[in-house]
Amino acid sequence: KNKATIKNMKRSELLRFLILRTVGNFLVLFAIFGIIATFGPALYYEVSFRVAQARGVTYVVSSKFQVPSSNLIKVQTAELAKTQSSGIDNFAQVLAGPRTQELIPSDTDFSILIPKIGASAKIFPNVDSSDENQFLPILAKGVAHAAGSVFPGMNGNTYLFAHSTDNFWDVGRYNAVFYLLKDLKKGDEVVIFYKNQRYNYIVSGSKIIDPSNVSYLVESQKLDKQQLVLQTCWPPGTTFQRLLVFAEPK
């Protein structure tokens, strides 16, 4: 009887050990998944950018869009989309493409190109930055132009944002290429296409602010000069603060 009791105890302890180990392994895997889901996109762009730098890859705005006419742009966009570089989003082009790659706007009605970081994205206008139900679907497709801010060519802040949600499974899914805004320096070029016109900007500086600071958006129409403001989350993969990059007309 004692032997049977001891045997049953050993089986019970073994079962408890297996259950605890299984739960522990699950929690570890879940934690790893959370880290990958949160920081994976940022890591992808970071690696792609560093590989491009190591290879000496440079991005330039296609010469076809230097002095565009509205009709010509639309034709060129359709024709060139299959042959020109899609920038840092295409790792194959980063790894094995030519050293000099031409970026084309995804939509000349409203889009952004940042040669330094190989960024090319469509911009969606008049997006309410305070309404997650409105901006989250937009950020899954491109960059948002904040409602209340001005459009290119007008005095004031043209405010563009790409930021994440508070849930780890969503963080990093939206416009991860904007994480590379941290690598922009004073003098770097930013190009905006708006209503088939090209607007050239030069980075003038950057600032890290608290998420509650919305002064650059609220007061965007009070500025007596043209300024482009690009916003992303900081640090990458979190929603703790905001990184703002400022640019002025070239």
Side-chain angles (χ1 to χ4, degrees), residues 66-105:
Q66 295 298 323
V67 186
S69 66
S70 59
N71 291 332
L72 184 59
I73 278 184
K74 293 178 180 178
V75 172
Q76 289 172 336
T77 301
E79 291 178 349
L80 294 175
K82 296 181 180 179
T83 60
Q84 302 299 292
S85 173
S86 55
I88 209 78
D89 279 316
N90 190 322
F91 189 70
Q93 290 178 334
V94 171
L95 192 62
R99 298 294 176 84
T100 301
Q101 300 186 23
E102 290 190 335
L103 295 172
I104 64 169

Side-chain angles (χ1 to χ4, degrees), residues 22-72:
T22 300
V23 171
N25 289 340
F26 172 79
L27 292 176
V28 170
L29 291 174
F30 187 75
I32 293 174
F33 168 77
I35 293 172
I36 293 174
T38 300
F39 299 104
L43 181 62
Y44 165 79
Y45 283 104
E46 187 70 28
V47 170
S48 295
F49 182 60
R50 300 308 167 191
V51 169
Q53 284 188 318
R55 288 194 62 231
V57 175
T58 58
Y59 297 96
V60 297
V61 179
S62 174
S63 59
K64 304 294 184 181
F65 296 92
Q66 295 298 323
V67 186
S69 66
S70 59
N71 291 332
L72 184 59

Side-chain angles (χ1 to χ4, degrees), residues 6-214:
I6 293 173
K7 188 174 182 180
N8 289 334
M9 288 178 62
K10 288 183 177 180
R11 286 179 179 176
S12 178
E13 291 176 358
L14 177 61
L15 181 61
R16 187 182 300 110
F17 170 75
L18 291 175
I19 291 174
L20 290 175
R21 188 175 68 175
T22 300
V23 171
N25 289 340
F26 172 79
L27 292 176
V28 170
L29 291 174
F30 187 75
I32 293 174
F33 168 77
I35 293 172
I36 293 174
T38 300
F39 299 104
L43 181 62
Y44 165 79
Y45 283 104
E46 187 70 28
V47 170
S48 295
F49 182 60
R50 300 308 167 191
V51 169
Q53 284 188 318
R55 288 194 62 231
V57 175
T58 58
Y59 297 96
V60 297
V61 179
S62 174
S63 59
K64 304 294 184 181
F65 296 92
Q66 295 298 323
V67 186
S69 66
S70 59
N71 291 332
L72 184 59
I73 278 184
K74 293 178 180 178
V75 172
Q76 289 172 336
T77 301
E79 291 178 349
L80 294 175
K82 296 181 180 179
T83 60
Q84 302 299 292
S85 173
S86 55
I88 209 78
D89 279 316
N90 190 322
F91 189 70
Q93 290 178 334
V94 171
L95 192 62
R99 298 294 176 84
T100 301
Q101 300 186 23
E102 290 190 335
L103 295 172
I104 64 169
S106 58
D107 184 348
T108 56
D109 190 53
F110 208 4
S111 63
I112 183 171
L113 299 174
I114 310 177
K116 169 73 172 292
I117 58 175
S120 176
K122 179 178 174 59
I123 302 172
F124 294 84
N126 294 319
V127 179
D128 186 349
S129 60
S130 65
D131 184 356
E132 287 190 356
N133 292 327
Q134 183 179 144
F135 71 68
L136 289 183
I138 294 298
L139 297 186
K141 299 182 290 185
V143 174
H145 163 263
S149 70
V150 304
F151 289 93
M154 301 172 60
N155 282 348
N157 286 329
T158 300
Y159 200 102
L160 307 180
F161 68 96
H163 58 189
S164 309
T165 68
D166 293 327
N167 299 316
F168 81 86
W169 53 84
D170 282 334
V171 172
R173 290 179 57 197
Y174 304 99
N175 298 293
V177 70
F178 254 34
Y179 288 147
L180 293 176
L181 291 183
K182 64 183 177 57
D183 292 291
L184 294 182
K185 305 297 182 183
K186 188 174 182 179
D188 287 333
E189 180 184 23
V190 179
V191 177
I192 301 290
F193 282 88
Y194 177 62
K195 291 188 175 180
N196 297 320
Q197 296 296 317
R198 174 174 169 163
Y199 295 85
N200 301 306
Y201 297 87
I202 294 295
V203 172
S204 57
S206 63
K207 179 183 294 186
I208 295 175
I209 64 171
D210 189 85
S212 62
N213 184 349
V214 294

